[in-house]
Amino acid sequence: SISPHIWRLLWGVLYIFIQKCPVVSASHQMSSHVDPEVLLEKVGRAGVITMNRPKVLNALNFTMIRQIYPQLKKWEKDNETDIVIIKGAGGKAFCAGGDIRAVTEAGKAGDSLAQDFFREEYILNNTIAYRKPYIALIDGITMGGGVGLSVHGRFRVATEKTLFAMPETAIGLFPDVGGGYFLPRLQGKLGLFLALTGFRLKGRDVQRAGLATHFVESKKIPDLEKELVDMKSPSAEDVSRVLDSYQKQVRSYSVVISSVPPTILSKMSPMSMKITYKQLQAGAALSLPDVLVMEYRLSQACMRGCDFYEGVRAVLVDKDHNPKWNPSTLEEVSDHSVDQCFSSLGEKDLTF
């Protein structure tokens, strides 16, 4: 029989082996390593935000909102930070929208995320109208929540890869994140057209529409970013000069505008379209904070209704693209039901 002393010795060797074993250590490292969903870095005198969920096209979730907002507030007061740059990882998207599926599940379950997500996202959107130069590099897909992270900043840089849209009426929502502010301020009725149809603008047309301030070739974005972060105490005018110099290097791009199918509006939620029409009418005369207060009321009306859940089911979950809207026609949507969506939430209203 083996003596207790030998047993203790064997167990000691085995313990050391397990601790040192490369296979065990490697698998442990792999399982515990999770990439952060948003990177917040200080590079020179620039604060740099990188949305880091490339597998889901950098969709904005609640965790990211709660990390970006306090950092923006901190950089705004920091004398060592002159500019803020925001971009997306992965090369395909800046940010393709908010994490709508999580909000849908929360709304169904009566979870507070259905209130908290919109409240904190809109507070973040308002903060982006920033005291310091804020530069959004919208290189790739930029929709919904991604628009809210960029369009209210002073500088928005589009590339030939930019794909811009506010597609909310297709899922029973409305063009939020301040859409009621910036859309009615576009030329003519372009904003209303984009809001109702979800039409996708591409490349240089994003700048022509006034949604981007500059157009730069995608391959030159890394050089542009390096030049921006290397600047010593830049002013907004200094940033503008650098962006202008990159824009001047652009060769001509032909942009193909796809036609809008004549039946496109028939696919949208009738309730969403009526809400959106009134939202843009009202928003044309309101400040951004007041628009966001209005939109928060609308977001909670959508959480109480049924079209949002049906739209998400049809477009994002089952993907049959055959939503059953209720009401099913514009004629059936009463003015009273639309007006109710704009009603005050009392002490639950959004405040800044």
Side-chain angles (χ1 to χ4, degrees):
S1 63
I2 301 174
S3 71
H5 174 72
I6 299 296
W7 272 120
R8 282 196 296 273
L9 187 61
L10 286 171
W11 276 115
V13 172
L14 182 61
Y15 177 79
I16 292 169
F17 175 79
I18 290 170
Q19 294 297 307
K20 300 286 186 183
C21 175
V23 176
V24 175
S25 299
S27 64
H28 175 74
Q29 287 173 3
M30 286 173 65
S31 64
S32 63
H33 176 71
V34 178
D35 287 332
E37 295 178 321
V38 60
L39 305 173
L40 303 165
E41 305 167 277
K42 189 73 185 303
V43 186
R45 296 184 66 88
V48 181
I49 301 167
T50 308
M51 287 167 286
N52 192 37
R53 301 180 73 207
K55 290 180 181 175
V56 290
L57 301 176
N58 300 320
L60 181 69
N61 64 22
F62 196 41
T63 305
M64 295 163 73
I65 292 168
R66 288 200 151 176
Q67 290 177 323
I68 294 170
Y69 174 74
Q71 188 64 68
L72 279 177
K73 299 300 283 186
K74 183 180 176 184
W75 281 334
E76 191 166 32
K77 296 174 185 172
D78 178 21
N79 292 331
E80 302 297 311
T81 305
D82 295 319
I83 63 173
V84 171
I85 297 170
I86 186 167
K87 60 182 180 175
K92 290 184 180 178
F94 170 71
C95 171
D99 193 357
I100 290 299
R101 290 182 71 158
V103 175
T104 309
E105 293 306 313
K108 286 179 184 173
D111 188 279
S112 65
L113 179 68
Q115 294 93 49
D116 298 342
F117 182 90
F118 290 106
R119 183 184 298 277
E120 298 193 29
E121 182 183 24
Y122 296 175
I123 289 170
L124 173 57
N125 297 149
N126 188 58
T127 303
I128 284 163
Y130 211 53
R131 186 169 60 83
K132 295 180 178 179
Y134 181 98
I135 306 135
L137 303 176
I138 53 172
D139 182 27
I141 300 167
T142 306
M143 295 186 184
V147 175
L149 290 174
S150 55
V151 76
H152 305 299
R154 195 174 316 190
F155 301 105
R156 291 93 62 193
V157 182
T159 75
E160 73 278 7
K161 289 162 58 179
T162 303
L163 181 66
F164 174 101
M166 295 295 286
E168 288 81 6
T169 56
I171 57 166
L173 204 57
F174 60 96
D176 64 338
V177 297
Y181 180 78
F182 72 84
L183 287 167
R185 287 166 172 78
L186 299 180
Q187 277 193 314
K189 297 293 182 183
L190 176 60
L192 182 62
F193 169 74
L194 295 174
L196 293 177
T197 64
F199 184 77
R200 298 178 173 196
L201 287 173
K202 297 178 182 178
R204 190 137 207 174
D205 280 342
V206 180
Q207 184 199 13
R208 290 185 181 122
L211 295 157
T213 58
H214 292 81
F215 182 82
V216 173
E217 286 180 285
S218 180
K219 67 182 181 183
K220 292 187 176 172
I221 290 291
D223 291 339
L224 168 61
E225 185 182 345
K226 185 176 187 311
E227 192 160 335
L228 289 170
V229 301
D230 285 348
M231 295 173 80
K232 307 299 182 194
S233 301
S235 64
E237 291 72 24
D238 296 330
V239 171
S240 188
R241 274 194 294 274
V242 170
L243 294 175
D244 288 346
S245 72
Y246 275 81
Q247 184 165 263
K248 285 172 187 169
Q249 300 168 26
V250 174
R251 59 189 177 86
S252 62
Y253 277 96
S254 59
V255 179
V256 179
I257 298 289
S258 55
S259 61
V260 182
T263 59
I264 190 69
L265 292 181
S266 68
K267 297 180 182 299
M268 305 306 181
S269 158
M271 183 60 139
S272 289
M273 287 196 291
K274 282 211 168 178
I275 287 172
T276 297
Y277 185 77
K278 183 169 182 175
Q279 170 204 4
L280 266 61
Q281 279 188 313
L286 297 175
S287 66
L288 176 59
D290 286 344
V291 163
L292 291 167
V293 170
M294 170 181 70
E295 291 181 358
Y296 185 71
R297 293 171 181 174
L298 295 178
S299 76
Q300 297 311 294
C302 290
M303 292 299 102
R304 295 190 301 269
C306 56
D307 273 8
F308 174 58
Y309 303 103
E310 173 61 8
V312 171
R313 179 207 64 76
V315 175
L316 300 178
V317 181
D318 297 340
K319 299 182 181 177
D320 58 22
H321 295 275
N322 187 29
K324 301 292 187 284
W325 303 124
N326 184 21
S328 60
T329 66
L330 286 169
E331 293 74 22
E332 292 174 275
V333 180
S334 69
D335 291 343
H336 176 67
S337 65
V338 172
D339 292 343
Q340 280 187 313
C341 297
F342 289 80
S343 298
S344 170
L345 299 171
E347 46 185 50
K348 291 185 177 179
D349 258 338
L350 175 62
T351 55
F352 295 101

